[in-house]
């Protein structure tokens, strides 16, 4: 089942948010990505677990952490 | 043998260059990283081949390409 996961991700410009968006957008299990640059949050709708998504975001070289699920 | 490889990498802020630096810095085979943000270049000193390094940079979600070796 698809869930919305929220992640804290350090992003400072459009290049930063674009990179995160591109990496997550390549995952077929990700159906929606919302980036809140001001709040330094990324909301990911996916059937994947939060660990798998977090690992992918970490590969972009950014500081990030799991902020919890959203219903 | 260690070589210096040059890559074109799209970076627009310190967050961008920091992310690239962090990802490459985790590789034990990389002994030096020089980032030229103005020139949009990353110089990597490593025993790794350019393909392996490029794949790692691509995982950060940035547009990048190999620009050649440097002696």
């Amino acid at each position: 089942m698809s869930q919305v996961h929220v992640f804290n991700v350090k992003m400072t410009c459009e290049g930063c948010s674009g990179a995160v968006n591109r990496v997550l957008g390549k995952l077929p299990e990700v159906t929606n990505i919302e980036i809140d640059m001001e709040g330094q949050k990324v909301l990911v709708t996916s059937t994947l677990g939060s660990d798998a998504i977090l690992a992918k975001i970490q590969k972009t070289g950014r500081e990030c952490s799991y902020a919890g699920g959203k219903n």
Side-chain angles (χ1 to χ4, degrees), chain A:
Chain A
M1 204 191 69
S2 220
Q3 258 197 302
V4 181
H5 298 286
V6 186
F7 300 89
N8 304 303
V9 185
K10 208 171 166 192
M11 300 168 287
T12 45
C13 76
E14 297 293 314
C16 297
S17 59
V20 173
N21 197 52
R22 224 162 304 147
V23 164
L24 292 173
K26 277 183 198 155
L27 302 172
E29 303 93 339
V30 168
T31 48
N32 195 52
I33 304 160
E34 231 174 284
I35 295 191
D36 166 14
M37 184 122 82
E38 228 171 305
Q40 301 281 287
K41 296 266 188 290
V42 177
L43 283 78
V44 183
T45 308
S46 181
T47 52
L48 289 173
S50 60
D51 285 0
I53 303 169
L54 184 62
K56 201 76 186 175
I57 302 175
Q58 277 168 335
K59 287 222 173 117
T60 69
R62 319 203 146 261
E63 285 176 43
C64 55
S65 61
Y66 183 47
K70 192 191 160 195
N71 293 318

